[in-house]
Amino acid sequence: MTTLSDPPRESFRLSMLLNDTRYRSYTLQFIALVLLLLLFGYLASNLVTNLADQGQNISYKFLGEPAGYDINQRPIPYDSQSTHMRAAIVGVLNTLIVSVLGCITATILGVLAGVARLSPNWLLRKLMSVYVEIFRNIPVFIWILIIFAIMAAAMPAPRAFRGEDPEASPLFGIIALTNRGVYIPKPILENGSGIVFAVFLLSIVGVFFYRRYARNLLFNTGKLLPTFWPTLGILFLPALLVYFALGMPIGWEIPELKGFNFQGGVQIRGSLIALWLALGIYTGAFVAENVRAGIQAVSAGQTEAAAALGLRPRRIMNLVILPQALRVIIPPLISQYLNLTKNSSLAIAVGYMDITGTLGGITLNQTGRAIEAILLLMLFYLAISLGISAIMNAYNNAMKLKER
Amino acid sequence: MRKTVFLGTVAVAGMAAGMAAATTLEDVKARGSLNCGVNTGLVGFASPNANGEWEGFDVGVCRAVAAAVLGDPTAIQFVPTTGKTRFTALASGEIDVLARNTTWTFSRDTDLKFEFVGINYYDGQGFMVPKELGVTSAKELGGATICIQTGTTTELNLADYFRKNNMDYEPVPIETDNEAQQQYLAGACDAYTTDASGLAAVRATFENPSDHVILPEIVSKEPLGPLVRHGDSEWGDIVRWTLNALVAAEELNISSANVKELAEAGTDNPEMNRLLGTEGNLGEMIGLESDWAVNAIAAAGNYGELFEKNIGENTPIGLARGLNAQWTEGGLIYSPPFR
């Protein structure tokens, strides 16, 4: 008679850490981790010792001291008596401004160019290839400098607008293009402007409702409603009507040449424009390639099937190809956004005061707190990059193929 | 993990700084050459000439130190530094002495742990504007757009001056001097500001220097001088007294032309003899050969010669001696006695 029994359970012995293949890799990984930590610990302690030898220490007290320098582009109130901390925050905001503007521009340009690269139109296709190849293959730093230099040399100085018979005059009488930047009119809000804005916001909601209605109608009855012109109409007509009905409650402050510069209006500085355009166009070329790759990843059968159903080419692109291509496009798009944000640290080349220019530039220089400032700078870029990643990953999850 | 990687990178940089353990003098002698930090290119003060040799007023100081220490004014590695990198380069031991028109300030001396060994040029911050603007005083610059080079005391002085006079301005910070000049020439800035000597040097490189005026206001004190690291007083003494030797040589009428002669023949002036090493043992006291000062003076000339040759009134820079005349001539240039 035989009895079935489990094989005897071996009790764990210390030697198994090395001899048993089940545990050996963990042992080795653990040893490697300890060694790595020891190495970094040694380097860190070495740094602290060396700093102590030089009579220096790590201290962030300087952040509370007055900065003493001025910044030209200030999204929040700031003057030379504000603290280094506030100067750093101004820098962070400036970085975010140029990054967001750049990402939007890059996306629009990239999608248009990527789609156009696959266009049956020979000229359009080749032009877009030229754009992609030229912008992708020249360093973005050079593009920033080129655009900045062209702006400084090609646009008139403000003093060219002066006199009885000026050499230059503002565009449409309201927009001044100078080599210091572009001055545009600034809205002045008067009584009743709130109503106009409320109506405009309602119009935006209205557009969504109209689009959803048109979509449902299409899915339910197959009846196709026009969307473009009604959208425009819903968006602007009510707001315009209210605007005039209330007696034009939003005035415009037109920039005027006073003294050395244009006063009034909003100044978009040359440094911001150069950085924005360079980052936007450069990254746009990469995005275009992502978009092209994404579209080509959708099998040609999809296009043919859609065409067989009688869809027009633009609808095929919008309704069939792009939604499927998006899941290929978005992951590399995230890294392009991250690249753009990190590349914005080249701002100092044109004197745009981003975080690298304030905290990592003048503050670092004036206080001599290099290690502290750089650590803070790294922390900021890390935080902002992880933030962008998180947002885009969430979007990616919403977009990706849902398996049912 | 990421954070530890950062710390590690920083620590590696820190380790490099800790290498310079021996005294700077020993290091320089062992290396056989002096590492001298200079400007990346400011005509008259430090810039490479057509043959690629560095020359200028600050370069002269480097040459004198190399000649005093090593006996050879060409035994120098010039390290071009920007306004931003200069202090890191000095603190990390990459350079032995920084002679890069650097302003002596309290915080640089104490907080950044450097030792300014003297002043070789008394300067002040000024403004340059195109003549056609018709501006005659810095007080008329309210609302102007002003180009500045970042990483200097300049932007702080500018902020202070405009705050004091209750005027607005738009600063355009630019990383390098060259780019700031281009912006200024293109009219993207109304005015350009830096040390008055720098303005003169920059204006000399313009196509039509006479189209630009330097406004009379000097808005700050900018004593420029060479500096070394804290904590090596012996090395600091060497650089300090080399500079003083150049100044004393001008006062005593010792020039690069006659210094060898005077050293060989001897003179009847005891201080001259002590300086030239023919009397007393000053060289031994400072830890150098007895003819250290002779070599220093022979290398690039005395203080006055350096000034006239590089930035004086007969050069394109065209700076007058002004405050930088010898104290006997009503200036501030003064050397403690060699005794």
Side-chain angles (χ1 to χ4, degrees), chain A residues 40 43 46 50 54-55 68 70 72 81 148 152 159 179-180 260-261 269 348-349 351 353 362 365-368 378, chain B residues 11 14-15 84 112-113 132 140 142-143 145 151-152 155-156 159 163 169-171 173 175 179 183 186-188 190:
Chain A
F40 285 125
L43 290 174
N46 198 314
N50 279 329
Q54 286 180 22
D70 287 300
N72 47 14
Q81 290 311 290
F148 193 55
R159 64 184 96 117
N179 60 1
R180 289 173 195 179
F260 290 102
N261 283 314
R269 284 179 181 73
I348 189 64
M353 295 312 268
I362 307 179
N365 241 306
Q366 303 299 353
T367 60
M378 292 195 297
Chain B
M15 246 186 353
K84 231 166 161 176
L112 296 189
K113 310 283 182 222
E132 56 169 6
E140 298 167 23
T145 302
T152 63
E155 50 212 353
L156 303 189
R163 188 158 66 98
Y169 72 106
E170 158 111 10
E175 175 82 345
E179 248 181 285
Q183 290 290 307
D190 297 305

